[in-house]
Amino acid sequence: MASEDEKSRSSHSDALQDAQVDERDQVKSDTIALPSHVAGSGTLDRLVENARDYAKASTAENTNKAYAADWKHFARWCRLKGTDPLPPSPEMIGLYLTDLAAPTGPSPALSVSTIDRRLSGLAWNYAQRGFSLDRKDRHIATVLAGIKRKHARPPVQKEAILPEDILAMVATLPFDLRGLRDRAILLIGYAGGLRRSEIVSMDVGKDDTPDSGGWIEILDDGAVLTLNAKTGWREVEIGRGSTDQTCPVHALEQWLHFAKIDFGPVFVRTSRDGKNALEARLSDKHVARLIKTTVLKSGIRAELPEKERLALFSGHSLRAGLASSAEVDERYVQKQLGHASAEMTRRYQRRRDRFRVNLTQAAGL
C-alpha cells in the first residue's frame, strides 16, 4: 500500500501535469496572431491585441468560463486515458460522452443537457485552435442520440415567483442603503423579466464603463432599459407601478438618489455597515443569493424543508414569475423577455390558463 508521502507526491505530480496542460492549452488558444511572413510593429501588435479582445467578447463571460472548464476537464480525461486531446478524435470524444453519461469512476452521471453543453464547449475550443469538430460524425452523433434516448428527462424548472411572493420578499428588506438596493434589484428584475447578469451589468448612462451590458433612461411614465443580452441588443420598458411601495421605477430612483449614483454601474456593493455605496459592480451571484435569502425570510413554501425551498428558486424565478403572472397578450411577454419564439416564452409560464382552447370539443367530441 502506498505511503501518505507517496500519495502526496503523486497528487502533486498530477496537479503539476494538469497545470502544464492548462498552460499549453492557453498558448494554443491564442490563435489570433500576425502571419509568419509579416514583420511586427507597434500598430500591428496593438491590432492583434484588440482582435483577441474582440474574439473573447464574441461569447458571454460566463460562457467563456464554462467552455474553459469543459476543455480543462476533457484534457485531463484524455491524459488519464493515455491520449491527447489534439487533434480531435471522434472515436475518443464518443467514449468521453459515454463516460459522462455512465461513468466508470466515482463521478456522478451528468444530465443530457450538461453533456450536450460539454460537446458544444469542445467544438468551440477546437475551433479556437484551428480544428473542426464534426458533431455529425457517427462516433459522436449515434452515441449522443443513444444517451438522449436512454437518459433524457423533462427539464427541471425553477419555481416562479408570483406577485404575492415578490411583495412578501421585498417586505423582508430594511430601509437602509443596502435594503434600498436589494429592493430595486428584485422589483426591476421581476418587472423587466431580466436575467441576473442583465440586472448587474447595467450602467446609469451609455458607455459609462468598458464592461457595461446596457444603460437606463428614467422617464415620467417609467424606465427604458437598453440591454446587450444573450440574443443581442433589446429595449425593455418598465412602467411605473400602482403605488410607490411596489413600483420598480420608484425603487430604482430611491436607490440611485440615496446612493448618490449618477455614473457607472447601477448596482454596486455597499460598505460593511451598509451606509455607503462603493464603486465595485455587484456580481450576478448576489442576485441568486438575494432571492434565496428573501424566499426563506418571507416564508414562501414554508411547508417544505429549508433545503428543498432553496432548491426551488433561482435567478430564473424572476423571469418565470413575469411570464406566469402578466395577464396580457403573449407577444408582449415574449418581447419583454427577449425570446425569439413564443414556444420559448411558454416554457417560462408556470401557471397559464390551460385548456383555454378545447380542441376536443372543437373537433365534435
Side-chain angles (χ1 to χ4, degrees):
M1 183 177 292
S3 67
E4 291 297 322
D5 188 49
E6 289 172 331
K7 291 180 181 178
S8 176
R9 285 198 299 270
S10 176
S11 176
H12 176 74
S13 175
D14 285 348
L16 182 60
Q17 285 179 298
D18 283 346
Q20 290 171 340
V21 169
D22 291 343
E23 186 176 348
R24 289 198 301 271
D25 289 340
Q26 181 61 43
V27 171
K28 293 174 184 176
S29 68
D30 287 338
T31 55
I32 296 178
L34 287 173
S36 58
H37 64 277
V38 175
S41 69
T43 302
L44 287 177
D45 290 342
R46 284 193 296 274
L47 286 175
V48 169
E49 290 302 317
N50 289 340
R52 286 174 179 164
D53 289 340
Y54 282 131
K56 186 177 179 181
S58 65
T59 50
E61 182 180 355
N62 286 342
T63 303
N64 287 331
K65 290 180 181 178
Y67 284 172
D70 292 341
W71 183 258
K72 182 178 180 181
H73 186 272
F74 177 62
R76 186 174 188 276
W77 183 88
C78 287
R79 182 178 63 80
L80 292 175
K81 303 303 179 186
T83 186
D84 195 278
L86 296 172
S89 165
E91 294 85 354
M92 289 305 298
I93 291 176
L95 294 178
Y96 174 65
L97 299 181
T98 301
D99 202 19
L100 295 179
T104 54
S107 301
L110 299 184
S111 67
V112 172
S113 61
T114 302
I115 293 173
D116 206 24
R117 207 290 318 284
R118 286 274 179 95
L119 182 58
S120 296
L122 294 185
W124 184 88
N125 275 283
Y126 276 123
Q128 304 313 301
R129 291 161 171 80
F131 295 95
S132 177
L133 177 63
D134 182 10
R135 294 182 54 154
K136 295 182 180 179
D137 184 282
R138 63 185 180 87
H139 295 95
I140 298 175
T142 55
V143 168
L144 186 60
I147 291 173
K148 289 181 177 180
R149 186 176 181 84
K150 189 171 183 179
H151 298 292
R153 298 288 184 273
V156 178
Q157 295 183 317
K158 294 298 182 180
E159 195 94 349
I161 293 174
L162 302 177
E164 58 271 21
D165 298 331
I166 194 71
L167 295 180
M169 290 163 66
V170 297
T172 67
L173 297 170
F175 284 90
D176 60 4
L177 197 60
R178 188 176 293 138
L180 292 177
R181 178 198 66 192
D182 290 345
R183 184 174 285 100
I185 286 175
L186 290 177
L187 291 174
I188 286 289
Y190 182 81
L194 305 181
R195 301 175 179 88
R196 64 187 195 183
S197 59
E198 293 171 344
I199 296 172
V200 300
S201 68
M202 291 187 298
D203 282 358
V204 175
K206 183 179 179 181
D207 300 327
D208 279 358
T209 64
D211 61 340
S212 171
W215 64 91
I216 63 173
E217 184 181 5
I218 299 178
L219 307 172
D220 291 341
D221 294 330
V224 177
L225 316 182
T226 304
L227 302 173
N228 186 9
K230 281 176 66 175
T231 54
W233 286 97
R234 82 177 198 275
E235 281 191 353
V236 173
E237 298 177 2
I238 300 179
R240 293 188 181 271
S242 54
T243 68
D244 285 349
Q245 286 71 32
T246 61
C247 176
V249 182
H250 178 74
L252 179 61
E253 289 174 324
Q254 291 287 98
W255 157 247
L256 294 175
H257 172 73
F258 287 103
K260 300 177 182 178
I261 296 176
D262 57 9
F263 182 86
V266 171
F267 294 114
V268 297
R269 297 173 59 189
T270 60
S271 57
R272 189 176 295 274
D273 59 10
K275 294 181 179 180
N276 297 297
L278 306 178
E279 294 183 359
R281 187 189 300 275
L282 275 180
S283 163
D284 65 338
K285 292 182 175 62
H286 174 81
V287 180
R289 289 193 296 265
L290 174 62
I291 290 170
K292 292 179 181 295
T293 300
T294 52
V295 161
L296 288 181
K297 288 182 178 179
S298 61
I300 298 171
R301 303 298 300 272
E303 73 278 7
L304 298 176
E306 180 177 308
K307 187 175 181 180
E308 290 185 28
R309 291 169 67 196
L310 289 174
L312 283 176
F313 297 93
S314 73
H316 262 63
S317 296
L318 294 176
R319 285 167 66 77
L322 178 74
S324 302
S325 305
E327 299 291 337
V328 296
D329 190 302
E330 193 176 69
R331 291 173 297 174
Y332 295 109
V333 179
Q334 179 183 339
K335 180 178 182 294
Q336 189 84 335
L337 298 182
H339 288 154
S341 67
E343 179 58 34
M344 178 59 71
T345 301
R346 294 188 190 106
R347 294 182 189 178
Y348 281 76
Q349 294 173 333
R350 305 293 191 265
R351 67 167 194 189
R352 59 179 182 270
D353 189 3
R354 297 182 185 275
F355 308 112
R356 180 184 300 171
V357 177
N358 190 326
L359 291 180
T360 305
Q361 294 180 5
L365 298 179

